[in-house]
Structures are given as C-alpha cells and as structure tokens.
Amino acid sequence: MRTSPALRRKLISVAATSAALLTAASTASAVAAQETVSQGSAVPTAQTEAAPGTPAERLIVGYKSGTAEARSNPAAEADAAAKGEKTGEDVDFQRRLGTGAALVDLGDDLTKADVADVVAQYRADPQVAYVVPDRLNKPKADPNDTEYTKQWDLFESTAGMNVPGAWATSTGTGVTVAVIDTGYVAHTDLAANIVGGYDFIADTAVSVDGDGRDSNPADPGDYYAANECGSGIPASNSSWHGTHVAGTIAAVTNNNKGVAGIAYGAKISPVRVLGKCGGYDSDIIDAITWASGGAVSGVPANSNVAKVINMSLGGDGACTSATQSAITAAVNRGTTVVVAAGNESDNVANHSPGNCSNVISVAATNRTGAKASYSNYGSLVDISAPGGQTSTGTANGILSTLNSGTKTPSGESYAYYQGTSMATPHIAGLVALVKSANSALTPAQIETAIKNNARALPGACSGGCGAGLADAARTVQAVSGSGGSTGGTTFTNTTAVPIPDNGSAIESSIAVSGRSGNAPTALKVGVDITHTYRGDLVIDLVAPDGTAYRLKAASSSDSADNVSTTYSVNASGETANGTWKLRVQDTAAQDTGKLNSWQLTF
C-alpha cells in the first residue's frame, strides 16, 4: 500500500524550491543547494524530467545482464524498495518492459531534486546499466491551420525559423505583445488573442477616424491619394499593416483556419500610432511608455502591460534622445523592444529606431536565407529573421492576416507581404516564447539567448546581418534548460581604457585558455563603449595570430552616442586559445569616450 505523500516526503522549503524552478537554466544547481544528492555526481536536468520543467514520476531501469534484478521481478522490486528507503522516497517496481528493463514508480508531487536523489542511487549501483526518466511524448503533427503549409518562414529547413520545434515547450502563454503600428482591423483568425490597446494618434489629419486619442485602436485604413503625403508620392491603398504583423506573432492556431502564429498562446495589445502618411515620434514615444507600463498624462493606466513591444516602423536619421529615453525606460521596466532595421538597403545606422540602443534590431532574409535585397544591414543589426522577397515569387513572401478593403475595412483576408516589418514580428514572437518559457529572464538575457542560439545565415549578407538567422527551437530549449546554449564560456576584460580624440588606436586584451581547437563560426564579441559620437569609431577584433576582423567602420552619419552591442564573428579559422585584442580608434575630432569593457563568448 502506498503511503500518503505528506508522510513520505522529506522536509523541504516549498517556497525555495518554487523559486529555484523559475530559473530553468540553472535549475539543477539551484535545487542541489537545498537537497544534496545522496551519491554520485549531480544529475543532469534531462534525467529528472518527463517533459521540460516537469519532474518524472517513473523511471526506466536497465540492469546488467546476469544480475538477479535483470531476471527476477521480486529482486527488482526489492531493489526499488531499498533505493526508496535510502532516499526517503516511495519507489515501487511496476512491471517489466519488453526489453527486460524495469519500470519503477516514484509517485506524485516530486521535485526534480527528489527524482535526482533516486536517479543518483541507481547510477551509483554497479548492477545498473542505465536509468532514464519515463518521458512524456507529444504529437508532432503540424498545426491544422489551412494555410500553414504556405508558411515556409516557420518550418522550412533552409531559411525557416524552426518554430514548430519550440511549441512542445512554449507557445507564449502568459505574455502580452504590444504591436505599435496601424492598429487592428477585425479578423476571426486573431480575435481570440486580442486584448485592449489604445489609439495614440493625436492629430486628426493622421488618425482619419474623426477624433484624437482614445481607447479604440481600430484601424480605419491608412490609404492616401497621389501627392497627399508629399510631392511625387503616388497613391497607396490601405495597408492593414498592424494586423499583418499581429498575425505573424499570435494568429490563433489549430483552429482549422488560416495561418499559425509563432506565439499563438500569447496576447496582442494593438497600439495605434501610424495613420495616413505615417506617425509622429511624440505619439510613438507615448505608446512605448504606456505599453510597457509607464504613465502617460491624460491616458488611463494600461491593464495589459506588455513584456514585448514590436515596432515594425521607422524613419531616417539618428535615434533621438527623446526616443531613446522612452525605449530605455521600457527596457528598465522589463519590456523587450524589437524593431525593424528598415527597408532602404542601407546601413541601419542611418535609420531610427533600428539604430537605437537597448533594442533588438532585425534584418530580413529571403527564402534562401540570404539578406533580402531591400533589408538594411550593419553592425547595429542584432539578428536576422524571415522577411520574404516577393520579387522572386509572391509565395516567397510572408503570409499573414489582412483585410481586403482598399480604403476602409471590408472582408477579412490573408496576403503575402515582404519587409523588415515582417521579419520583426518573427523575433517578437520568439521573445514571447522565451519569456513564457522562463519568466525570470531580463530583456538583455533574452537578447543574448536569441543571439547565442542563432544559426549561421544560410545565404549571403554583405554589411552585417547580426548574429545569424534566429532559431526558435534552439533558443527556447536553451532558456528552459533542455538544450541549446545560454551563453557558452565567456572571457571578460573590465578594465576601462580612454579613447583618445582623433588619435591612435587603443587595445584591450583577453587571454583565452582551456579551449580546444578553433574558435566558433559565431564567436560573440560584446562591446561596451561610452562615446559622444559613435560614428567616429572604428572597432576591430584582433585574433591571437594578428588577423583583424572589422566589427564597426566609421560613419559620418551615425551621430548617436555609445556602442553597447554584441557582434558575431566567424573566427573558425583561428585557434581559440591565446591573446585576443579589441582595437578601437577615434578617427575624427571633437568627441571623446572610453572602452568600459568587452567580452568574448565561445
């Protein structure tokens, strides 16, 4: 007879265990600090879970050939009882599997530390060949959405973002994404995932809905006539842009209809800032503030605070202090801000908010995995994602939710679009998956996880496309403790070095040791430089053999402050061990700065 869980459980701090479980990447070590495994080395998380984050309730034990436990059920039963007595758990032999292995039951309400205790006991037994959790498997069928097969950007092996592999672990549940865009036009493939937003357009000539700011973020259409938005600018039909973006992030999935959303368990808060001819910085700044939980005068408090902001929008010029201030405040409140690099086939340094600090700046790739012809590029790009390229065929664009109205709303529809506007919601959706999988992660940690788990760009990119093509499955596995990389081995130099104004280059060194073979194809180089005009700076990574890798070139149009970013370098031709250097030179007069720190992550 099974004893009650209350009697057979060891005394343990439930609060402490719960806190430890929130930090998935370090669960095993956190729990081990509270309960010491009886014998053997620490048990990997993968050997204590039936599914990511869920402690196993059964173990499969294989005994070595010739042992009594391998031949006799009573012997296996006695061994299970002995293991249970040593660990304080109720371990019961259940049955013999067809392979001869024994299935043992651990009961309900165990922590991963409890499971680890029992696993360690079996591992330490010389009679045991192996012990593994009785893992819970789930169907791997594709979503039943009728247009899913056209969403190459989610699943194709060459240039898709490997999204289906993430869904077994996370669908974005519990996370709200603010789509700061044109608002939302009603669509049944999105409606269930829409929560309250706001219309921040104050100028009625832009809002075209007959009023200024209000709580209704409905998109009335953003069409305009020829020359209405400037001399020589041709007429344009309504774009329903915000609805297309929202569908990529969180279209309702497995509903036998339309498309699948990347984070289909998440919610979308439509925040309207773009109307006829565009939208003003002032409205966008207030939208960023409000969406992330900040206070905006005259606007009710936000009851759907977003942990992710998507801004598939932009303009020319440097990131202004006003916009940067709003972004920094949002990030400090714990909201990750994802922005489009832009579609000018130009250096993103010339386009805001893609050139702002504390954002994830996203470039677009086509169906072959190369940089899309229109996409901006540069050292300020953080990551690439599918944005499509319809010039090579309409079906090579990104399919999502839309409306058929040319001016005002009509029937709901689906359509292929292309742009960094389409790439950005892929990353915003991934951020939602990551945040849902590990709610304790900060925006900086989320960005690092996405970069560290990107795969090499399958196609060509000239000028800089960030850390590579984002990989949803690998990133989510990393943050949930079930695989991938949460950061690798990092070497850091925190000694500050002044950078002479218009002077000689300075160098800072990091001695790398304990590595084997060559450096990786995506060596991460984190740089923190304070400077009052970063366009003056040239930055190189110098390998131990003296080979220099250009991280950043000088640019007279990049007037923003500071360099705080992570570069990705293909250093696979270099021996990992040795002295690496960061070389920084100020190439123009009047502005000064210093290298605060830098790091290499292998």
Side-chain angles (χ1 to χ4, degrees), residues 166-421:
W167 285 334
T169 304
S170 176
T171 62
T173 302
V175 178
T176 297
V177 182
V179 175
I180 297 180
D181 212 293
T182 63
Y184 164 68
V185 61
H187 201 294
T188 58
D189 207 11
L190 260 175
N193 283 340
I194 298 294
V195 296
Y198 206 80
D199 181 356
F200 274 92
I201 303 177
D203 189 326
T204 54
V206 177
S207 70
V208 298
D209 61 357
D211 55 30
R213 293 182 170 183
D214 58 38
S215 60
N216 182 8
D219 184 351
D222 58 355
Y223 75 94
Y224 50 83
N227 302 311
E228 193 173 7
C229 294
S231 179
I233 296 178
S236 176
N237 290 334
S238 289
S239 67
W240 317 112
H241 189 273
T243 301
H244 196 280
V245 167
T248 296
I249 298 170
V252 178
T253 302
N254 280 317
N255 62 340
N256 282 299
K257 176 183 178 64
V259 295
I262 290 171
Y264 60 83
K267 300 300 182 184
I268 297 291
S269 173
V271 184
R272 188 169 181 248
V273 297
L274 302 178
K276 179 174 285 190
C277 304
Y280 288 103
D281 278 356
S282 54
D283 292 340
I284 294 170
I285 287 167
D286 279 351
I288 294 169
T289 303
W290 182 84
S292 60
V296 176
S297 178
V299 179
N302 185 3
S303 59
N304 297 296
V305 174
K307 288 304 178 184
V308 192
I309 284 175
N310 186 105
M311 290 199 292
S312 292
L313 50 79
D316 296 339
C319 179
T320 66
S321 298
T323 298
Q324 185 63 68
S325 178
I327 290 171
T328 300
V331 171
N332 288 342
R333 283 189 283 269
T335 300
T336 301
V337 181
V338 187
V339 302
N343 302 328
E344 293 78 18
S345 189
D346 186 23
N347 195 313
V348 68
N350 302 319
H351 304 275
S352 175
N355 57 7
C356 294
S357 300
N358 298 323
V359 301
I360 300 178
S361 184
V362 186
T365 53
N366 59 28
R367 199 166 181 172
T368 68
K371 183 185 80 68
S373 61
Y374 54 80
S375 178
N376 287 347
Y377 51 83
S379 63
L380 298 181
V381 169
D382 293 301
I383 195 72
S384 294
Q389 188 149 346
T390 56
S391 63
T392 60
T394 300
N396 292 334
I398 305 300
L399 184 67
S400 189
T401 46
L402 211 69
N403 191 277
S404 62
T406 57
K407 292 185 177 180
T408 57
S410 184
E412 64 179 42
S413 65
Y414 301 85
Y416 291 96
Y417 274 6
Q418 68 171 18
T420 55
S421 280

Side-chain angles (χ1 to χ4, degrees), residues 560-585:
D561 296 342
N562 309 330
V563 178
S564 180
T565 192
T566 300
Y567 301 97
S568 183
V569 176
N570 183 352
S572 57
E574 305 291 341
T575 301
N577 289 334
T579 300
W580 296 74
K581 298 178 181 178
L582 191 74
R583 180 184 296 154
V584 184
Q585 184 173 14

Side-chain angles (χ1 to χ4, degrees), residues 61 63 69 74-84 91 122 125 127-128:
V61 182
Y63 290 97
E69 293 85 355
E77 185 172 5
D79 188 46
K83 298 292 194 294
V91 183
Y122 276 109
D125 187 340
Q127 307 283 51
V128 172

Side-chain angles (χ1 to χ4, degrees), residues 34-35 48 59 77 94 103 125 147 157 177 184 189 242 297 304 306 349 402 416 431 439 469 492 494 505 519 548 553:
Q34 300 157 48
E35 289 191 84
T48 67
L59 298 175
E77 185 172 5
Q94 294 292 298
L103 180 67
D125 187 340
E147 304 300 309
S157 58
V177 182
Y184 164 68
D189 207 11
S297 178
N304 297 296
L402 211 69
Y416 291 96
V431 172
S439 61
L469 181 63
T492 304
T494 57

